[in-house]
Amino acid sequence: MAKTSTRFVCQNCGAVHSRWQGRCDGCGEWNTIVEEQPEAPRAPGPAGKSRGGRAIEFVGLKGRAAPPPRTRTGLEELDRVLGGGFVPGSVVLVGGDPGIGKSTILLQAAARIASAGKRTLYISGEEAIDQVRLRALRLGLTDSPLGLAASTSLRDIAASLEEEQDCTLVIIDSIQTVWLDSLDSAPGTVSQVRACAAELTRLAKTRNFAVVLVGHVTKEGTLAGPRVLEHMVDATLYFEGDRGHQFRILRAVKNRFGATDEIGVFEMTDKGLMEVANPSALFLAERRGNISGSAVFAGMEGTRPVLVEIQALLSPSASGGSPRRQVVGWDSGRLAMLMAVLESRCRVSLGQNDVYLNIAGGLRINEPAADLAVAAALVSAATDRPTDPDRVFFGEVGLSGEVRQVAQTDLRLREAAKLGFAAATLPRRVARGGRPPGKGPEGLRLAEIGHLADLVAPLAAAAARKPAKDAPPEEEAAEEA
Ligand code: TYD
Ligand code: MG
């Protein structure tokens, strides 16, 4: 029989070690290993009927498969990220930095569901009742029949939830503060978080209500401890955004009941989080035309097209050492690759300049389709000439400089046309009939290019012809009429 000695568990990835060490072999993180008491030893020997197991019943694949009935919050942006609302019996993990607005949005959503006549409970382990009430007062939600409690004891919470008839939604704010007294570890440790989440999941499935677990995020941007939770829950949503910006983006990274990579956009106001129905207009609101180093990217976030401004700045390296590469909102490895392709395939010299790249508005872009827009911003900065302010860019760039197809071309173009753009630079499409080349939806002029050089040449030529700065922007790519 296994010895019941203490064990050392990494709080980041959950790996178990036999002794303490500074660095976890599992995930490579430092100082994440904490001593924990082992879970109760399991009964030894083979499991099976002789040990009291019951035979399970197997069924065929045919049968009732009606889509699960959902509870909509009425916050469109949240409902879409959830895949259409909360599914009964499901567990949703909501992660994000402290202060980003997790408690605020969940209180707003819970109060709306409660106001619709559905039993909704909000259990706060972080804040006292009065603090939550104060927030509700500011948000104008005090009339909602929401059930509010402050508790951290999972035993008490479970006992209360067992009593509930017909409950729709339970919010646990946060999973790191609740604890089970049968475990010796402190609240927030992997064992506690895992055991509490398992118990809440069991309750959700048996009592058929939806549970939302709030989880905090570490400096590195992963859910602290609860990373082990991502496997257990049905959906994981991250709440991201810059504290310096009003925008908050709710992103689904896992969803058993909907699409991932779907985003919801909110704006933090003094009345709580407001939905932003047209994020492109918001992200482009502060754009100033006729400035070099800026290009508009027609991107996709989940099922929705989103236009954002990409900004690049080159400045002579002061130190004389290796130049700085600073990126906000994009992958720095991808920037290095793109700069190498620009230098070796298109003879654009970025030289000993420091390069700064920024996605305006605080959005984080993961799509390779942004390559072409980033390249346009870089070339524009390098030649000190603005790109055409009425043009959007999208397309992936390969190592030989070839411009590759990306998904959802039509959706991107339609969004650009809707927001008043007149032209687009995009990958050359394989002729498939349909629309003639060069024409986009609603009269959008298309420059379909096959190589990065096709983007660079007109910009560079224009820069060579005229002194930069005050000159009007040129059409930078030959339009294929
Ligand atoms: P909160 O929901 O408490 O964040 P979390 O639960 O993720 O830690 O959000 C707190 C921040 O939101 C705080 O900095 C104040 C701000 N806020 C507003 O700007 N307006 C509001 O109406 C509310 C309720 C909060
Ligand atoms: Mg909170």
PDB file of all heavy atoms in Angstrom, residues 102-103 126-127 135 173 216, ligand 2:
ATOM      1  N   LYS A 102     -14.514  41.283 -13.561  1.00  0.00           N
ATOM      2  CA  LYS A 102     -15.200  39.986 -13.513  1.00  0.00           C
ATOM      3  C   LYS A 102     -16.429  40.045 -12.614  1.00  0.00           C
ATOM      4  O   LYS A 102     -17.525  39.628 -13.003  1.00  0.00           O
ATOM      5  CB  LYS A 102     -14.239  38.890 -12.991  1.00  0.00           C
ATOM      6  CG  LYS A 102     -12.998  38.698 -13.821  1.00  0.00           C
ATOM      7  CD  LYS A 102     -12.118  37.601 -13.274  1.00  0.00           C
ATOM      8  CE  LYS A 102     -11.497  37.894 -11.911  1.00  0.00           C
ATOM      9  NZ  LYS A 102     -10.580  39.048 -11.899  1.00  0.00           N
ATOM     10  N   SER A 103     -16.229  40.572 -11.397  1.00  0.00           N
ATOM     11  CA  SER A 103     -17.356  40.637 -10.465  1.00  0.00           C
ATOM     12  C   SER A 103     -18.452  41.541 -11.017  1.00  0.00           C
ATOM     13  O   SER A 103     -19.637  41.264 -10.862  1.00  0.00           O
ATOM     14  CB  SER A 103     -16.896  41.166  -9.111  1.00  0.00           C
ATOM     15  OG  SER A 103     -15.846  40.374  -8.616  1.00  0.00           O
ATOM     16  N   GLU A 126     -14.877  36.888  -1.693  1.00  0.00           N
ATOM     17  CA  GLU A 126     -13.847  37.934  -1.684  1.00  0.00           C
ATOM     18  C   GLU A 126     -14.324  39.195  -1.022  1.00  0.00           C
ATOM     19  O   GLU A 126     -13.558  39.889  -0.373  1.00  0.00           O
ATOM     20  CB  GLU A 126     -13.449  38.271  -3.119  1.00  0.00           C
ATOM     21  CG  GLU A 126     -13.008  37.068  -3.890  1.00  0.00           C
ATOM     22  CD  GLU A 126     -11.933  37.391  -4.895  1.00  0.00           C
ATOM     23  OE1 GLU A 126     -12.020  38.452  -5.513  1.00  0.00           O
ATOM     24  OE2 GLU A 126     -11.024  36.563  -5.034  1.00  0.00           O
ATOM     25  N   GLU A 127     -15.606  39.506  -1.245  1.00  0.00           N
ATOM     26  CA  GLU A 127     -16.105  40.778  -0.755  1.00  0.00           C
ATOM     27  C   GLU A 127     -17.213  40.552   0.262  1.00  0.00           C
ATOM     28  O   GLU A 127     -17.931  39.550   0.192  1.00  0.00           O
ATOM     29  CB  GLU A 127     -16.641  41.607  -1.926  1.00  0.00           C
ATOM     30  CG  GLU A 127     -15.534  42.055  -2.852  1.00  0.00           C
ATOM     31  CD  GLU A 127     -16.068  42.536  -4.178  1.00  0.00           C
ATOM     32  OE1 GLU A 127     -16.688  41.765  -4.906  1.00  0.00           O
ATOM     33  OE2 GLU A 127     -15.850  43.708  -4.493  1.00  0.00           O
ATOM     34  N   ARG A 135     -21.825  47.969  -4.884  1.00  0.00           N
ATOM     35  CA  ARG A 135     -21.636  47.863  -6.326  1.00  0.00           C
ATOM     36  C   ARG A 135     -22.991  47.780  -7.027  1.00  0.00           C
ATOM     37  O   ARG A 135     -23.217  48.426  -8.049  1.00  0.00           O
ATOM     38  CB  ARG A 135     -20.790  46.635  -6.661  1.00  0.00           C
ATOM     39  CG  ARG A 135     -20.632  46.455  -8.150  1.00  0.00           C
ATOM     40  CD  ARG A 135     -19.799  45.259  -8.524  1.00  0.00           C
ATOM     41  NE  ARG A 135     -18.413  45.415  -8.142  1.00  0.00           N
ATOM     42  CZ  ARG A 135     -17.717  44.477  -7.519  1.00  0.00           C
ATOM     43  NH1 ARG A 135     -18.269  43.335  -7.208  1.00  0.00           N
ATOM     44  NH2 ARG A 135     -16.467  44.691  -7.193  1.00  0.00           N
ATOM     45  N   ASP A 173     -17.620  33.541  -6.521  1.00  0.00           N
ATOM     46  CA  ASP A 173     -16.623  34.594  -6.741  1.00  0.00           C
ATOM     47  C   ASP A 173     -15.701  34.650  -5.521  1.00  0.00           C
ATOM     48  O   ASP A 173     -16.030  35.281  -4.534  1.00  0.00           O
ATOM     49  CB  ASP A 173     -17.359  35.923  -6.948  1.00  0.00           C
ATOM     50  CG  ASP A 173     -16.435  37.056  -7.383  1.00  0.00           C
ATOM     51  OD1 ASP A 173     -15.229  36.790  -7.538  1.00  0.00           O
ATOM     52  OD2 ASP A 173     -16.931  38.174  -7.545  1.00  0.00           O
ATOM     53  N   HIS A 216      -8.612  33.843 -10.719  1.00  0.00           N
ATOM     54  CA  HIS A 216      -7.653  34.920 -10.954  1.00  0.00           C
ATOM     55  C   HIS A 216      -6.556  34.466 -11.892  1.00  0.00           C
ATOM     56  O   HIS A 216      -6.275  33.301 -12.029  1.00  0.00           O
ATOM     57  CB  HIS A 216      -7.030  35.381  -9.641  1.00  0.00           C
ATOM     58  CG  HIS A 216      -8.031  36.048  -8.771  1.00  0.00           C
ATOM     59  ND1 HIS A 216      -8.593  37.232  -9.112  1.00  0.00           N
ATOM     60  CD2 HIS A 216      -8.598  35.655  -7.622  1.00  0.00           C
ATOM     61  CE1 HIS A 216      -9.460  37.556  -8.185  1.00  0.00           C
ATOM     62  NE2 HIS A 216      -9.494  36.619  -7.275  1.00  0.00           N
TER      63      HIS A 216
HETATM   64 MG    MG B   2     -13.931  40.519  -8.028  1.00  0.00          MG
END
